[in-house]
Amino acid sequence: MAARGSCPGCGSAALVEDAHYAQQQLVCAACGCVLAEGLLTTTYTEEEHLREVAYSQSTGQKEQLSRCLQRGIRRVQDLCKVLQLPMVFEETAVSYFQRALQHPCFHLVSLEKKELLGGCCVFVTCRQHNWPLTMGTICSLLYAKQELFASVYLSLQKELGLSVPALSLGDLVKTHLNSFRLFQHTADVPATFVEDKEKMVARTMQIVELASETWLVTGRHPVPIVTAAAFLSWQSLQPAARLTCTFARFCKLAGVDLPPPAHLRLKELLEILLRMASQLAWLRVFNMDKKTVVKHIGDLLQHRIFLLKNAFCLEDGEEQRATAPGEGSASSPPADGRRPLLPPCLINPRKRLRTAALSASDSAITGDEPISDSEIEQYLRGPEEIRAFRKAKAWS
Amino acid sequence: PLTPMTPMTPVTPASESSGIVPQLQNIVSTVNLACKLDLKNIALHARNAEYNPKRFAAVIMRIREPRTTALIFSSGKMVCTGAKSEEQSRLAARKYARVVQKLGFPAKFLDFKIQNMVGSCDVRFPIRLEGLVLTHQHYEPELFPGLIYRMVKPRIVLLIFVSGKVVLTGAKERSEIYEAFENIYPILKGFKKAS
């Protein structure tokens, strides 16, 4: 193909574009002088034979990810950045997300659910690495309803066969307390309310462990327990200044939510502490109540093993209940005033209207009994009744 | 102090029976009445029926003995729930079919099948769910207070609570409920002894 210009060597205008092996060259047809080499393409078709074979042609698969997948991966990465998670977590979460989206179960769900799916992958990754992330936190970050999140999470766990270890309460204490704004003096937080973070974390951990040993944790939502324990530990570190501060005010100052069950958890914790205090020799003389016991939480925690053994009957609940059959739920307490160490649902069982178990006559039913007409007719409306019903309902 | 314990093998010998028998609480069964039904007509002529087509596309019918509830669909299929035994469920389903017959439909009683059985019992000691570690389990106190254990053989789902109460569901035959409980009891008992 002729090109413009003239050869610097011989002045001829016959310049040709030629390929020397794979390289394009601009050569003078008259004297053979090479004017230029390298890519000298002029048309798209010329370039084509230099292009490598596209991925989609050689493998039959689309190299480019679908837009939905791309967007989802970006969301997952953003979530990880907001939560300040290590890079490893981000990679794992993204791989779970890609696996999940390929699964027929999630392939065609609504966009809302796909977004939740990304959050679930991050949540699962955190839990697998014992990073204490609660469902509440992820739901608030995604502006998601917890029921919908829960259903997506359960499907994800089932479909991908992921094993998710239980939430580590100890780590949750540290993470939850990180969000408390009581460790520095500010305009709303008086000087006497400011507390040392290490001390507060240590004492809150001890109270949470106590709660765990005394059956207050199993089956319950973890965050209210940690909040109640944090309040007690904060009060006990400087009781003189802080006993007058209410739980609600404490949460407001700390900048955290006060979840409704936290009041009940606080009540249960105080009951446990009061019982323990009754066993401490130098506290027996005082008439302890739920305010004054807070002052002595340090001592109670220090001797908690001894105090728990003495304040509660630590024999198995089975023996306790076996010795008091037919006395009902409010069985007479043991003579020394100790109560058994059982979960609160067993100490104060809710009175349930229990439908009776199968009686003897019920058990004799074979399923083939004859059915009398009169029994069936009791369920059918008479003609006057139908007329009256029709009038009332104005049906055709 | 907050680390979970992981005893996978039971401490008590497997041959020791628990002495506890799970009680059946609910049986769900289905039957095909094999004829198209006019639900509006049924709701008009039957005292014990309720029908809100905007809410649910079936008539909800109840009888007193055996105390059960039925969902009757216009296709002629019926679901019967609330019975405490397989025989009671069958008797109840037959009574519903008889009501539909009396209302003028040529109802038959085909393919009666028990679809699900639910049982419950009490092991009489509290259980530290966070320490119990089984495969195929799911314990999320943020979502549900009980531990959900999907036993593989027999294929039964168990809900285990801190109070020691256990709910077993997903059975097609009562022997599956009894077998599942006999499988879980040594694990729970052994875990209790170990902790």
Side-chain angles (χ1 to χ4, degrees):
Chain A
M1 186 196 277
R4 268 179 271 154
S6 55
C7 170
C10 64
S12 159
L15 298 176
V16 188
E17 274 178 33
D18 194 13
H20 178 67
Y21 300 113
Q23 209 176 42
Q24 283 286 93
Q25 290 176 334
L26 190 61
V27 183
C28 172
C31 67
C33 170
V34 176
L35 273 76
E37 53 188 2
L39 204 60
L40 291 176
T41 56
T42 54
T43 64
Y44 181 68
T45 45
E46 271 189 20
E47 285 198 74
E48 212 171 13
H49 77 273
L50 286 178
R51 259 185 17 179
E52 68 271 22
V53 179
Y55 183 82
S56 56
Q57 284 176 323
S58 64
T59 59
Q61 275 181 343
K62 275 181 73 172
E63 184 186 3
Q64 221 189 10
L65 303 169
S66 75
R67 211 181 303 166
C68 174
L69 187 55
Q70 278 180 351
R71 190 166 56 218
I73 291 177
R74 250 201 315 274
R75 282 291 276 147
V76 169
Q77 289 170 335
D78 289 342
L79 265 172
C80 292
K81 286 193 178 64
V82 164
L83 293 166
Q84 298 180 329
L85 302 175
M87 200 57 193
V88 165
F89 287 31
E90 197 177 300
E91 288 157 9
T92 315
V94 167
S95 80
Y96 282 151
F97 185 71
Q98 283 180 299
R99 266 173 67 193
L101 267 196
Q102 281 168 359
H103 213 275
C105 180
F106 294 112
H107 205 54
L108 298 168
V109 295
S110 65
L111 281 178
E112 189 191 4
K113 271 197 178 166
K114 280 192 176 140
E115 193 152 306
L116 289 186
L117 188 61
C120 287
C121 294
V122 174
F123 178 69
V124 167
T125 310
C126 286
R127 286 281 293 272
Q128 286 180 333
H129 288 88
N130 282 322
W131 189 277
L133 183 67
T134 59
M135 256 183 234
T137 310
I138 279 275
C139 283
S140 64
L141 279 175
L142 295 172
Y143 302 106
K145 286 174 286 204
Q146 195 168 38
E147 302 85 52
L148 193 57
F149 182 86
S151 73
V152 175
Y153 167 65
L154 294 175
S155 317
L156 175 72
Q157 209 188 4
K158 194 167 154 214
E159 298 300 331
L160 292 190
L162 301 169
S163 76
V164 182
L167 186 67
S168 155
L169 217 53
D171 293 330
L172 180 64
V173 167
K174 290 190 206 123
T175 320
H176 195 56
L177 286 185
N178 273 339
S179 56
F180 278 52
R181 287 198 314 246
L182 284 169
F183 308 120
Q184 277 172 338
H185 182 41
T186 60
D188 353 301
V189 178
T192 46
F193 281 16
V194 177
E195 188 50 71
D196 174 55
K197 191 166 169 192
E198 300 297 325
K199 274 197 225 163
M200 192 155 150
V201 168
R203 186 160 281 195
T204 309
M205 288 272 270
Q206 286 186 312
I207 298 181
V208 168
E209 280 177 18
L210 176 68
S212 178
E213 282 165 26
T214 52
W215 295 102
L216 299 185
V217 167
T218 311
R220 267 93 172 268
H221 203 295
V223 173
I225 301 164
V226 174
T227 313
F231 176 58
L232 280 179
S233 87
W234 173 81
Q235 273 192 328
S236 67
L237 287 167
Q238 266 192 56
R242 299 172 184 173
L243 266 181
T244 48
C245 179
T246 60
F247 197 4
R249 189 168 170 231
F250 165 77
C251 290
K252 200 156 161 232
L253 287 171
V256 292
D257 285 331
L258 175 52
H263 278 292
L264 279 168
R265 297 300 93 86
L266 184 64
K267 209 168 117 186
E268 288 166 353
L269 272 169
L270 284 168
E271 194 247 333
I272 301 277
L273 289 165
L274 276 168
R275 278 192 184 266
M276 285 166 69
S278 68
Q279 297 300 316
L280 207 50
W282 59 90
L283 290 183
R284 276 210 201 109
V285 286
F286 298 110
N287 221 355
M288 288 272 131
D289 67 21
K290 56 185 197 342
K291 283 267 183 218
T292 46
V293 75
V294 174
K295 294 187 214 159
H296 306 281
I297 284 183
D299 285 340
L300 295 175
L301 289 173
Q302 202 181 358
H303 305 280
R304 75 171 187 269
I305 300 170
F306 168 78
L307 294 174
L308 281 179
K309 203 156 60 146
N310 285 7
F312 300 97
C313 319
L314 286 180
E315 305 115 34
D316 20 18
E318 193 180 312
E319 293 172 27
Q320 277 298 307
R321 288 156 76 188
T323 52
E327 277 183 29
S329 53
S331 46
S332 51
D336 53 4
R338 304 191 299 176
R339 76 144 168 88
L341 193 59
L342 292 173
C345 59
L346 290 176
I347 306 281
N348 313 308
R350 257 185 249 171
K351 297 242 177 323
R352 276 250 177 90
L353 186 68
R354 204 140 285 215
T355 49
L358 278 183
S359 64
S361 57
D362 285 343
S363 315
I365 290 181
T366 61
D368 294 313
E369 283 82 358
I371 303 169
S372 67
D373 281 345
S374 54
E375 186 188 349
I376 300 299
E377 266 148 30
Q378 70 174 307
Y379 295 118
L380 305 178
R381 289 201 169 111
E384 311 83 31
E385 211 185 316
I386 293 176
R387 251 176 269 134
F389 191 73
R390 268 206 173 120
K391 253 195 236 167
K393 277 264 178 174
W395 269 357
S396 56
Chain B
L2 288 174
T3 52
M5 299 193 62
T6 58
M8 290 288 280
T9 49
V11 173
T12 49
S15 57
E16 208 176 280
S17 167
S18 63
I20 304 172
V21 181
Q23 291 289 322
L24 291 180
Q25 301 292 350
N26 184 25
I27 312 281
V28 178
S29 59
T30 54
V31 71
N32 186 6
L33 303 178
C35 65
K36 291 273 174 275
L37 301 173
D38 180 349
L39 298 184
K40 220 162 147 185
N41 190 296
I42 293 176
L44 178 60
H45 289 91
R47 284 187 184 137
N48 55 343
E50 67 180 81
Y51 180 49
N52 290 327
K54 285 189 190 144
R55 205 154 51 112
F56 190 55
V59 162
I60 301 168
M61 195 180 279
R62 295 187 169 87
I63 57 173
R64 279 180 280 273
E65 190 54 51
R67 200 158 158 276
T68 50
T69 305
L71 303 175
I72 305 176
F73 294 84
S74 56
S75 60
K77 299 266 174 74
M78 184 172 82
V79 180
C80 174
T81 63
K84 300 273 189 214
S85 76
E86 306 90 313
E87 298 81 17
Q88 271 195 3
S89 194
R90 191 151 162 277
L91 180 60
R94 281 175 58 222
K95 288 188 182 177
Y96 288 111
R98 189 66 76 79
V99 169
V100 172
Q101 274 175 354
K102 286 241 182 253
L103 291 171
F105 298 93
K108 301 204 191 73
F109 196 79
L110 305 181
D111 309 323
F112 174 79
K113 188 177 174 203
I114 304 279
Q115 298 290 358
N116 186 26
M117 302 176 69
V118 182
S120 73
C121 58
D122 188 351
V123 298
R124 308 191 72 83
F125 53 82
I127 304 170
R128 286 200 187 277
L129 304 176
E130 60 273 17
L132 198 59
V133 175
L134 306 152
T135 51
H136 309 295
Q137 77 163 36
H138 173 268
Y139 171 54
E140 295 290 337
E142 279 187 89
L143 294 181
F144 188 64
L147 183 147
I148 304 171
Y149 174 45
R150 294 180 190 276
M151 194 177 277
V152 173
K153 194 177 173 333
R155 212 163 141 260
I156 299 285
V157 174
L158 294 92
L159 307 177
I160 305 169
F161 296 90
V162 65
S163 56
K165 301 221 170 35
V166 180
V167 173
L168 307 101
T169 182
K172 293 273 199 284
E173 283 167 31
R174 66 164 71 198
S175 60
E176 291 173 355
I177 300 237
Y178 298 150
E179 191 190 333
F181 183 69
E182 291 303 316
N183 285 350
I184 199 72
Y185 187 73
I187 296 176
L188 296 176
K189 198 99 206 277
F191 175 62
K192 174 189 161 214
K193 285 216 174 98
S195 51

